[in-house]
Amino acid sequence: MSGQLMPCSPGEISSLFLFEKLAPEQLGRLCSEGRVERFEPGPVYTEGDPATCFYVMIEGTVVMSRRVGGDDVEVSRTSQRGVYAGAMQAYLGDRVPQVYQNSMRVTEPTRFFVLPAESFASVMREWFPMAAHLLEGLFFGSKNTQRAVGQRERLLALGSLSAGLTHELNNPAAAAVRATATLRERVAKMRHKLGIIAGGPFSRDALASLIEVQERTAERVAKAPVLTPLEASDREDALTEWLEDHGMDHGWQYAPTFVQAGLDVDWLEQVAAAVDAEILPNAVGWLNYTVETELLMYEIEDSTTRISHLVDAAKQYSQLDRAPYRTVDVHELLDSTLLMLSGKIGQRIEVVKDYDRTLPEVPAYPAELNQVWTNLVDNAVFAINSAGGEGTLTVRTAREGDRLLVELRDTGPGIPPDIRGRIFDPFFTTKPVGEGTGLGLDISWRIVVNKHHGSLQVESAPGDTRFQVLLPLTAEPDPDSTSPRTEEPV
């Protein structure tokens, strides 16, 4: 947008702090190559347009905004003389995209000193060569450092997740191995006990009755009820007493297994009625092995199912064999992340899931959203641990207008107000040296805001800190999201 051209006075622009140390001939060159323009209330330039000019405000009021999703979010408003914005990276040439990183508008008639980007780049290199080199080094060095540290943080997170996944996989795998070894032993004993029974003077009908009892016993194991400790203890006592009354001195060894399988005295009475009294002790022993083998097979099934779920969660988390950009169910992403981090979360932190399952799928980069959830969960766990290690992590989803909300709430000590505005800054961290790089929230901000056109915000009070991620329900992929988090006039 063009404004009204006005005379450029070297004396006036020398009163601006940016130019106050320039020589008269330098001020003259600025006025000859630049211009003073007066803008009426409205836009001056728009984010994303080619950065053609460098603006320095002489008088008036400017408002800077950034495009977030479908909204313009105000990031700065000032009436301070001398603030500048626009093509501030023109001296870097074509090594960076030369576009406006924000939008600027004025709320009252405002005068600017306007310098074409080519002239600004030229005077920077000619008048301040050392400063230009230092700024170039600072700009590219900071980006390279941030990229390297970001990669390091990803590797550290991957190492932590790998250790946690290995630990989680080891428990069910070890349980399956133990159960398999025990199962082999119990099957061998069952064959031995069956041989004793088959070698006795028992009729075919008696053996058929015993086999029928075995089948009914296996079915009852599958439907075993869940008992309270007191109920289980009372049933063990009753079973032990019944077995001893029927001549089985080792009944106390059978009773816990029978109780675990959901068997009771009534079942023993049915066994006694189905077989002869002389076969009863061996029959009960054989049925005990039947129950044990059934329980062991269920244990193996549970363990292997747990391993399968962990592998599925790892694939879901890493998005192996998935398109990088697609519609996703955020609940699946959240569940896989929580499962991957379950070892780090531990037993003392209660995880509460408050999901709105009616929410639609959203277009997203799922692997990168998983990185956001990882960073936010990691911070929540650290906060709770710093407050004693016990607390609650609540993960909530909901719909807010045309956006989907994912909120992670922890009961940690909260974020002090004096640092709340800095937590998304690169390299800022409250963790001890060696425990954090200060890039987790910055990376999360960039993924949510720059790449998904959403928003990431925080509300915090002692015992109630909430990170809220808002994702648009419809969006287009953004393959290149390298713009800085904010750009304000300085």
Side-chain angles (χ1 to χ4, degrees):
M1 177 179 177
S2 298
Q4 176 187 355
L5 291 177
M6 306 184 71
C8 178
S9 165
E12 183 177 45
I13 64 172
S14 69
S15 66
L16 303 174
F17 65 84
L18 198 62
F19 306 131
E20 60 185 2
K21 299 296 183 181
L22 297 183
E25 58 273 17
Q26 293 174 317
L27 295 170
R29 177 179 173 181
L30 290 180
C31 270
S32 65
E33 296 187 15
R35 60 189 184 272
V36 172
E37 288 189 49
R38 183 177 185 271
F39 289 84
E40 295 300 320
V44 177
Y45 64 74
T46 303
E47 179 179 348
D49 288 349
T52 58
C53 294
F54 176 69
Y55 295 84
V56 185
M57 190 179 72
I58 300 174
E59 62 178 354
T61 300
V62 298
V63 176
M64 310 297 296
S65 62
R66 287 292 310 273
R67 193 73 172 170
V68 179
D71 303 319
D72 283 320
V73 179
E74 182 177 323
V75 296
S76 178
R77 179 185 295 255
T78 182
S79 300
Q80 180 183 353
R81 295 185 75 247
V83 296
Y84 53 89
M88 293 191 295
Q89 297 172 354
Y91 64 92
L92 296 174
D94 57 7
R95 286 174 291 178
V96 299
Q98 293 296 336
V99 296
Y100 291 120
Q101 302 295 333
N102 50 38
S103 297
M104 183 168 72
R105 61 185 175 88
V106 296
T107 58
E108 61 178 318
T110 300
R111 287 194 304 135
F112 290 95
F113 171 69
V114 183
L115 189 63
E118 297 82 359
S119 297
F120 175 63
S122 177
V123 298
M124 280 289 293
R125 288 191 290 264
E126 290 178 26
W127 296 352
F128 314 106
M130 183 175 179
H133 287 305
L134 288 173
L135 289 171
E136 287 179 12
L138 178 63
F139 179 82
F140 290 111
S142 176
K143 289 181 70 68
N144 291 336
T145 300
Q146 188 167 335
R147 186 179 300 111
V149 175
Q151 291 172 348
R152 174 64 174 169
E153 177 156 296
R154 291 184 178 92
L155 287 174
L156 290 173
L158 179 60
S160 176
L161 286 172
S162 298
L165 180 60
T166 301
H167 174 75
E168 291 296 317
L169 285 170
N170 181 68
N171 290 335
V177 170
R178 288 193 304 268
T180 302
T182 306
L183 178 62
R184 183 179 291 110
E185 177 187 345
R186 294 297 185 270
V187 170
K189 290 183 177 181
M190 181 186 290
R191 290 197 301 266
H192 175 70
K193 185 71 71 174
L194 181 60
I196 294 175
I197 295 172
F202 308 116
S203 66
R204 178 178 296 180
D205 291 340
L207 292 177
S209 298
L210 185 58
I211 296 299
E212 183 185 358
V213 170
Q214 182 190 37
E215 292 297 329
R216 287 192 281 114
T217 300
E219 291 176 2
R220 291 197 58 166
V221 173
K223 303 174 182 177
V226 178
L227 302 178
T228 66
L230 182 59
E231 290 172 337
S233 177
D234 290 343
R235 185 171 292 188
E236 281 186 29
D237 292 341
L239 287 172
T240 301
E241 183 178 349
W242 190 95
L243 292 168
E244 290 177 351
D245 290 343
H246 288 74
M248 283 166 267
D249 296 334
H250 300 289
W252 58 272
Q253 293 178 321
Y254 298 156
T257 303
F258 290 161
V259 170
Q260 185 180 355
L263 308 180
D264 53 18
V265 171
D266 290 340
W267 170 79
L268 287 175
E269 292 289 355
Q270 294 175 27
V271 174
V275 301
D276 297 333
E278 54 189 311
I279 199 178
L280 183 59
N282 285 329
V284 170
W286 185 51
L287 292 176
N288 176 66
Y289 292 137
T290 298
V291 171
E292 286 186 333
T293 55
E294 288 293 319
L295 292 174
L296 287 168
M297 284 189 288
Y298 282 119
E299 183 178 346
I300 293 171
E301 181 182 20
D302 288 341
S303 298
T304 53
T305 300
R306 170 72 173 167
I307 293 172
S308 178
H309 286 167
L310 285 168
V311 172
D312 288 343
K315 290 178 65 177
Q316 172 74 17
Y317 180 85
S318 62
Q319 293 297 304
L320 292 176
D321 304 324
R322 303 288 185 91
Y325 184 82
R326 61 187 182 88
T327 57
V328 296
D329 182 349
V330 294
H331 304 111
E332 292 181 358
L333 304 184
L334 290 166
D335 285 342
S336 66
T337 301
L338 291 171
L339 184 55
M340 292 290 289
L341 293 174
S342 58
K344 186 171 217 177
I345 295 172
Q347 300 296 320
R348 300 176 64 192
I349 298 177
E350 179 186 5
V351 177
V352 176
K353 298 178 183 179
D354 182 10
Y355 291 167
D356 180 357
R357 293 288 186 178
T358 65
L359 293 173
E361 294 186 342
V362 295
Y365 295 88
E368 299 200 24
L369 283 184
N370 280 340
Q371 186 179 359
V372 174
W373 315 144
T374 299
N375 292 335
L376 297 182
V377 170
D378 182 71
N379 284 348
V381 170
F382 176 82
I384 294 173
N385 287 335
S386 68
E390 291 188 357
T392 303
L393 169 62
T394 303
V395 184
R396 182 172 72 92
T397 62
R399 182 168 186 159
E400 290 198 359
D402 59 349
R403 296 192 292 178
L404 183 148
L405 168 70
V406 177
E407 179 184 81
L408 285 89
R409 174 187 178 189
D410 68 74
T411 55
I415 304 171
D418 57 328
I419 67 170
R420 199 169 300 163
R422 302 170 56 198
I423 61 173
F424 294 110
D425 293 346
F427 307 109
F428 178 79
T429 181
T430 59
K431 296 179 181 178
V433 175
E435 291 192 26
T437 61
L439 281 179
L441 289 179
D442 173 61
I443 291 172
S444 299
W445 202 98
R446 290 172 181 270
I447 290 173
V448 172
V449 176
N450 291 351
K451 200 146 194 175
H452 290 86
H453 307 293
S455 66
L456 173 58
Q457 56 201 34
V458 62
E459 298 176 0
S460 185
D464 185 6
T465 296
R466 308 182 186 202
F467 280 90
Q468 297 173 329
V469 176
L470 285 161
L471 300 171
L473 295 174
T474 58
E476 293 296 327
D478 184 3
D480 183 17
S481 302
T482 57
S483 59
R485 185 173 67 84
T486 58
E487 189 78 28
E488 301 180 5
V490 292

